[in-house]
């Protein structure tokens, strides 16, 4: 059995965590004037059970009450919260997690391995849970003793620990739709559906004494109401899911703290189109795109250029930026070897005299993507490629993709597990709606899943990156960065992490406006 440090391994998964809008009929929020009180917002909760609710704003608030086995830090490394240590067998099919002793639930009972087992079993029976991806390969979770859990998997999955950031729930409190029983820094004090939720600090929290004493959460109708409340000075902080930084100018008494997200933007080529049947052509398209211009013009500082889907913030696994850098001359040379030449108007023609051109599909509601599509068309024209941008409403966009009636489309995904690419690149991956099939890629993905040690995973990830650049199944563009926007009444800036915008809320020091 090999024992791994939290920063050692890397991992992956495939399900998109969506933040949906909600109902609610209150947009009234109390002024942020009291020392020690943080004011937040959320949509109307369909349930206060974080494993069930489909509202991201609700899950973000409840993360102050419930804790996971691990969190994923800014370097894209797993960090123990309830977990103390973990190990993986050499076959990458058995994972053992030791949990910390002395953690108490809000009702005073001790947290044990039985609660972890209960949560996993519950999650396996919640097909609509936003965390369902985390247990897709779990055969069983067993309590070896009060503080040790053994996970058995259906297949090698070295990235498994990166899935274990779902909230752990108590086995003795089975009905959590209208109440909260967690082990986090805050416990439920008051809840009125469609109006208000108040959390009080939990004095027996294993993390110590919380600087922020109370979290006062107003339940608002929609994103626009949330943004308006923050701009009016009624909230201490708001997540980027509820506040559109591109359309709202920050005042002098506000600040934005950017942090990594799992949202990966890419161009999907229809591999059934003859124009994209060659990896050389796909690579030429990729080489002719200057991603830095897309980042600066469409996302400002809220994105990181990236072709390969290995996250650029990954401290140990981040790919070399030279693997697929912008190189117009190289793109032109690749196209020459693919049988294309340019005419007097610098338009690419094949051996039959037919121009190189394709349609790029984009959903018109996404303004950043629309702007990016225009920039891509302009950049590719420099290489002689004629690109026609087609904007449609989202339902039409989705339908055309499902029927595979497109040349290429500009899309994106938010992976539940940051280092699992099978859902996008494997032949039977749920987001492989573009016809890509490759034995080399299947082998590269399998090698990552079968590499439980740090060294073997790094080697497998490097090989994956090389296969990706050589085959260019999709043309990656960037990883979007999330942000938490806060008022200056918050003395210390938020310190969000991947999947947890309010990760350090217990450390927030709230100043009075008076």
């Amino acid at each position: 059995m090999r024992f791994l440090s939290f920063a050692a391994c890397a991992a992956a998964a495939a399900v998109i965590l969506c933040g949906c809008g909600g109902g609610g009929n209150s947009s009234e929020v109390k002024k942020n004037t009291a020392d020690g009180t943080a004011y937040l917002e959320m949509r109307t909760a369909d349930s206060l059970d974080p494993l069930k609710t489909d509202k991201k704003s609700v899950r973000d608030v409840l993360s102050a009450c419930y804790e996971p086995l691990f969190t994923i830090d800014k370097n894209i490394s797993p960090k123990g919260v309830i977990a103390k240590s973990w190990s993986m067998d050499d076959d990458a099919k058995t994972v053992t997690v030791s949990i910390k002793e002395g953690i108490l639930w809000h009702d005073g009972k001790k947290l044990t391995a039985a609660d972890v087992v209960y949560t996993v079993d519950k999650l396996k029976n919640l097909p609509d849970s936003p965390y369902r991806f985390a247990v897709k390969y779990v055969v069983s979770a067993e309590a070896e003793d009060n503080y040790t859990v053994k996970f058995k998997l259906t297949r090698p999955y070295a990235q498994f620990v990166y899935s274990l950031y779902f909230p752990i729930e108590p086995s003795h409190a089975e009905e959590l739709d209208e109440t909260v029983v967690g082990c986090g820094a805050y416990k439920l004090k008051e809840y009125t559906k469609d109006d208000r939720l108040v959390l009080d600090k939990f004095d027996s929290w294993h993390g110590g004494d919380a600087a922020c004493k109370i979290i006062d959460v107003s339940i608002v109708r929609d994103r626009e109401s949330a943004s308006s409340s923050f701009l009016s000075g009624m909230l201490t902080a708001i997540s980027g899911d509820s506040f559109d930084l591109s359309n709202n100018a920050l005042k002098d008494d506000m600040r934005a703290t950017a942090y990594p997200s799992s949202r990966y933007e890419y161009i999907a080529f229809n591999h059934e189109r003859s124009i994209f049947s060659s990896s050389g052509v796909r690579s030429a398209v990729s080489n002719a795109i200057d991603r830095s211009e897309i980042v600066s013009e469409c996302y400002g500082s809220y994105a990181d250029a990236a072709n390969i889907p290995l996250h650029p913030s990954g401290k140990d696994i981040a790919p070399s930026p030279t693997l697929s850098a912008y190189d117009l001359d190289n793109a032109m040379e690749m196209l020459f070897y693919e049988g294309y030449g340019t005419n007097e108007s610098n338009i690419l023609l094949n051996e039959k005299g037919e121009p190189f051109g394709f349609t790029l599909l984009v959903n018109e509601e996404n303004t950043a993507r629309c702007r990016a599509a225009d920039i891509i068309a302009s950049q590719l024209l420099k290489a002689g490629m004629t690109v026609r941008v087609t904007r449609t409403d989202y339902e039409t966009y989705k339908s055309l993709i499902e029927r595979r009636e497109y040349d290429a489309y500009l899309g994106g995904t938010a992976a539940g597990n940051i280092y699992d690419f099978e859902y996008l690149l494997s032949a039977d991956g749920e987001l492989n709606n573009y016809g890509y099939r490759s034995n080399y890629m299947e082998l590269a993905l399998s090698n990552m899943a079968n590499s439980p040690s740090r060294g073997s995973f790094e080697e497998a990830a490097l090989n994956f990156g090389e296969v990706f650049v050589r085959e260019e199944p999709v043309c990656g563009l960037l990883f979007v960065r999330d942000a938490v926007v806060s008022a200056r009444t918050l003395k210390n800036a938020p310190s969000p992490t991947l999947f947890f915008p309010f990760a350090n809320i217990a450390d927030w020091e709230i100043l009075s406006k008076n």
Side-chain angles (χ1 to χ4, degrees), residues 212-399:
C212 177
K213 308 304 180 186
I214 296 173
I215 302 175
D216 195 335
V217 184
S218 291
I219 299 171
V220 300
R221 289 187 298 271
D222 48 36
R223 191 184 191 205
E224 290 70 27
S225 298
S227 292
S228 177
S229 296
F230 180 77
L231 290 170
S232 299
M234 298 176 177
L235 302 176
T236 306
I238 189 169
S239 75
D241 293 287
S242 295
F243 188 83
D244 188 354
L245 277 163
S246 63
N247 292 321
N248 289 296
L250 296 183
K251 300 178 182 178
D252 291 340
D253 60 349
M254 301 173 182
R255 64 187 161 205
T257 304
Y259 65 102
S261 86
S262 64
R263 285 181 285 175
Y264 175 63
E265 295 282 305
Y266 57 90
I267 298 172
F269 305 111
N270 187 342
H271 288 241
E272 295 177 355
R273 296 283 199 265
S274 59
I275 190 175
F276 293 127
S277 61
S278 167
S279 61
V281 170
R282 300 192 300 267
S283 293
V285 172
S286 178
N287 273 226
I289 293 175
D290 183 355
R291 293 163 178 81
S292 63
E293 181 182 2
I294 297 171
V295 169
S296 62
E297 293 297 322
C298 305
Y299 295 90
S301 59
Y302 298 102
D304 296 300
N307 178 21
I308 305 168
L310 291 166
H311 203 290
S313 295
K315 185 175 181 180
D316 301 312
I317 312 299
S320 167
T322 62
L323 272 177
S324 53
Y326 170 60
D327 190 335
L328 187 58
D329 290 337
N330 192 43
M332 298 294 292
E333 184 176 355
M334 286 181 175
L335 291 168
F336 174 78
Y337 284 111
E338 291 293 327
Y340 289 93
T342 56
N343 62 13
E344 63 278 1
S345 300
N346 196 40
I347 299 299
L348 280 173
L349 304 173
N350 63 16
E351 294 172 346
K352 297 179 181 179
E354 299 167 334
F356 183 107
F358 64 92
T359 298
L360 180 59
L361 180 66
V362 64
N363 57 308
E364 61 189 7
E365 299 90 345
N366 192 316
T367 55
R369 282 185 189 165
C370 287
R371 176 63 179 141
D374 290 338
I375 291 173
I376 289 167
S378 176
Q379 290 179 349
L380 294 183
L381 185 60
K382 296 177 183 178
M385 306 180 208
T386 303
V387 178
R388 299 172 298 281
V389 176
T390 300
R391 295 173 174 79
T392 69
D393 62 87
Y394 181 70
E395 289 304 317
T396 302
Y397 167 85
K398 185 169 66 170
S399 177

